[in-house]
Amino acid sequence: MKVTCVIPARLSSTRLPKKVLAPLNGKPLLQWVIEAAKEIPLFSEVVVATDHSDVESLAKELDTPCFLTSPECISGTERLIELKQSGKVTADIWVNWQGDEPFITQEMIGQLLQTAPDDFISIWTLRKKITDTRSIHSPDVVKVVCDEEGRALYFSRSPIPYPQEGHSHFYKHIGLYAFSDEALYQITDLPPTALELSEKLEQLRFLGHGLPIRVHETFTDPLGINTPEELSMAAALLS
């Protein structure tokens, strides 16, 4: 089984300009991600998908295949799809590891792919139990609810399920995805759904068109970097 890790690395970003190239303890942020991904033995190949030659240059310095994708791509998944359609990269399983996530671990990748070879579901992601009230109510923390078999029922920026004291458990969605090659083909031409546009969550497009998502539990909540403050937090963690 060939597992290809694609690191989408768009250069433009609003809250932290040129985020993936931002210096982090002596290296560009993206370099931390590439080096971490290359340490994962489950991956057959690690490649970068970007929209800018500056990112391409860094990847080449790190001896990592890099492919220019359209600046019109609005998500990492769209960059995976474009890469698949180009025929330049192949996979049985595609892992989407965002270029601003340097703290993804080997254990998390194992959790993500634990049912991949034999699962009748062919889109996988992760969830982490929420233990603080602020995260439950923060629209920046995406919540997920699942059925008894771990299949996603809904993702939302609102608190879900209803916070009934003593009876509710909340889970944060960790934005790490894996797709079978067939699943990536199936979602290629799916139009956006009303719920996706309302929540601004691309995974609701998959659910809205009847594609199930398996959500495995992890006990790690990796710091994603979207702001200067989070970049400073990452620097402290890596010191």
Side-chain angles (χ1 to χ4, degrees), residues 119-205:
D119 204 339
F120 69 92
I121 292 175
S122 51
I123 303 174
W124 305 276
T125 191
L126 294 175
R127 63 176 176 167
K128 163 72 169 62
K129 193 170 185 179
I130 296 174
T131 56
D132 65 290
T133 302
R134 186 201 67 81
S135 293
I136 293 171
H137 295 279
S138 171
D140 295 326
V141 176
V142 177
K143 275 70 69 175
V144 58
V145 289
C146 299
D147 68 12
E148 297 301 315
E149 301 298 323
R151 292 170 293 207
L153 294 171
Y154 194 63
F155 297 85
S156 182
R157 299 182 183 278
S158 299
I160 53 172
Y162 179 79
Q164 191 74 260
E165 187 174 354
H167 295 280
S168 297
H169 297 287
F170 297 88
Y171 286 89
K172 174 183 178 178
H173 175 229
I174 305 297
L176 178 69
Y177 291 95
F179 305 88
S180 72
D181 194 52
E182 175 62 24
L184 208 56
Y185 172 78
Q186 287 179 308
I187 67 178
T188 297
D189 296 317
L190 295 180
T193 65
L195 288 174
E196 173 194 359
L197 296 174
S198 176
E199 296 268 12
K200 290 185 168 51
L201 297 173
E202 67 166 334
Q203 60 269 40
L204 291 176
R205 183 183 308 187

Side-chain angles (χ1 to χ4, degrees), residues 10-112:
R10 180 172 62 96
L11 185 62
S12 63
S13 51
T14 304
R15 291 179 287 176
L16 183 58
K18 296 186 176 181
K19 175 173 60 177
V20 295
L21 297 182
L24 176 59
N25 290 23
K27 303 177 189 177
L29 169 57
L30 180 61
Q31 183 172 344
W32 288 97
V33 177
I34 291 172
E35 290 176 349
K38 286 185 172 182
E39 291 295 318
I40 307 294
L42 286 170
F43 293 153
S44 309
E45 185 176 19
V46 175
V47 305
V48 174
T50 187
D51 60 354
H52 202 281
S53 59
D54 287 354
V55 175
E56 185 181 32
S57 296
L58 173 63
K60 287 181 178 178
E61 288 176 18
L62 299 173
D63 196 26
T64 304
C66 184
F67 302 91
L68 287 172
T69 52
S70 170
E72 302 303 316
C73 291
I74 61 173
S75 69
T77 303
E78 289 192 3
R79 295 194 193 282
L80 265 70
I81 290 170
E82 185 174 324
L83 207 53
K84 171 181 165 58
Q85 290 178 324
S86 74
K88 296 175 182 177
V89 181
T90 61
D92 299 306
I93 303 292
W94 300 79
V95 172
N96 180 347
W97 180 337
Q98 294 293 329
D100 57 4
E101 292 275 0
F103 296 107
I104 300 295
T105 66
Q106 180 174 324
E107 181 182 36
M108 293 176 71
I109 298 300
Q111 291 162 339
L112 178 72

